[in-house]
Amino acid sequence: KAKGVLEQGRMVRFSQDWTPQEAAYLNRHQLVTAKPAVYLVNASASQYTTGKNKHLPRIYEWVDQRSAGAVLPYCSELESVAAAAATPEEKQDTLLKFGLKRAATETLLRLCFDAFGFVFFFTVSPMETKCWTLKSGQTAAQAAGRVLPAFAAGLSSVEVYSVYDLKECGSLRKVQESGKYATRGPDYVVKDGDVLLFRMGSLH
């Protein structure tokens, strides 16, 4: 089946109808064309800022028909200039000077997370705020286990709100007042950008 896909000039990841058994078999062989992909298309500064690149339509078409995966226009020259900024404010000013809202590397990180099926969540304490990765579709109990394995069995509930809601509302108090702060059980499916406060019962 995989040979047939390749003989059509397509990547193994292009086919979406693998059974769980077939996917497990292919994964054991670590085929490069079965792995998730994100394509960076480097362009000149003028092409990147104006969006005028004669090659892009053909690249999008090729990926759509043969590979599957995200395509991200990218300008290494501008990214290097932005990365060299001394402060976040200076970096933002540099991007705005070129008519850009954000660095392509930020979009790249998001695309890679999506391609590999990851979400991120946060834990907050008086000492630190920490970001963790988790496979998409996993639960609060599994997230707790990422922080400390013993937490997975002892989790009784989780208090949750979104970092995106926090950014929009401006403070945790306003998040709570807006009704976007909730208590969920261990089976709650963690969403991208969740901030989690674990409440423990007994540890087994």
Side-chain angles (χ1 to χ4, degrees):
K1 189 173 179 180
K3 182 181 177 183
V5 173
L6 293 171
E7 287 176 343
Q8 294 171 8
R10 295 173 172 171
M11 308 296 179
V12 171
R13 62 177 163 269
F14 184 83
S15 178
Q16 300 295 317
D17 61 348
W18 305 110
T19 66
Q21 294 78 14
E22 289 170 339
Y25 176 82
L26 290 171
N27 286 338
R28 289 202 300 271
H29 292 276
Q30 296 290 300
L31 299 177
V32 172
T33 64
K35 297 180 183 296
V38 176
Y39 293 88
L40 282 181
V41 182
N42 196 28
S44 67
S46 61
Q47 290 175 333
Y48 184 68
T49 54
T50 62
K52 296 179 179 178
N53 186 319
K54 64 180 181 180
H55 303 293
L56 267 179
R58 284 183 290 171
I59 293 172
Y60 279 116
E61 182 181 4
W62 185 90
V63 172
D64 186 58
Q65 294 180 353
R66 297 179 179 274
S67 177
V71 177
L72 179 65
Y74 184 89
C75 178
S76 57
E77 178 186 352
L78 297 186
E79 293 295 319
S80 297
V81 173
T87 65
E89 292 76 17
E90 184 180 328
K91 178 180 179 179
Q92 190 61 38
D93 288 343
T94 301
L95 292 170
L96 290 174
K97 184 174 69 174
F98 292 113
L100 306 173
K101 292 182 178 180
R102 65 177 63 85
T105 47
E106 298 175 17
T107 305
L108 175 62
L109 180 61
R110 177 72 272 162
L111 290 175
C112 289
F113 263 69
D114 293 342
F116 284 95
F118 285 108
V119 298
F120 63 87
F121 70 94
F122 295 91
T123 55
V124 180
S125 74
M127 298 297 294
E128 66 175 1
T129 297
K130 189 166 183 178
C131 181
W132 307 80
T133 58
L134 192 70
K135 288 293 288 184
S136 179
Q138 290 190 321
T139 65
Q142 290 169 307
R146 287 278 290 116
V147 177
L148 189 68
F151 283 2
L155 184 69
S156 61
S157 64
V158 60
E159 295 178 24
V160 56
Y161 60 96
S162 170
V163 70
Y164 304 115
D165 290 334
L166 180 62
K167 183 177 180 179
E168 180 181 341
C169 294
S171 70
L172 180 57
R173 180 178 61 82
K174 290 183 178 179
V175 170
Q176 294 168 325
E177 291 174 350
S178 68
K180 297 178 179 179
Y181 189 105
T183 300
R184 298 287 185 257
D187 293 334
Y188 167 76
V189 176
V190 177
K191 297 180 178 62
D192 188 61
D194 276 350
V195 182
L196 304 178
L197 176 60
F198 301 113
R199 296 298 185 186
M200 311 307 296
S202 58
L203 296 178
H204 301 292

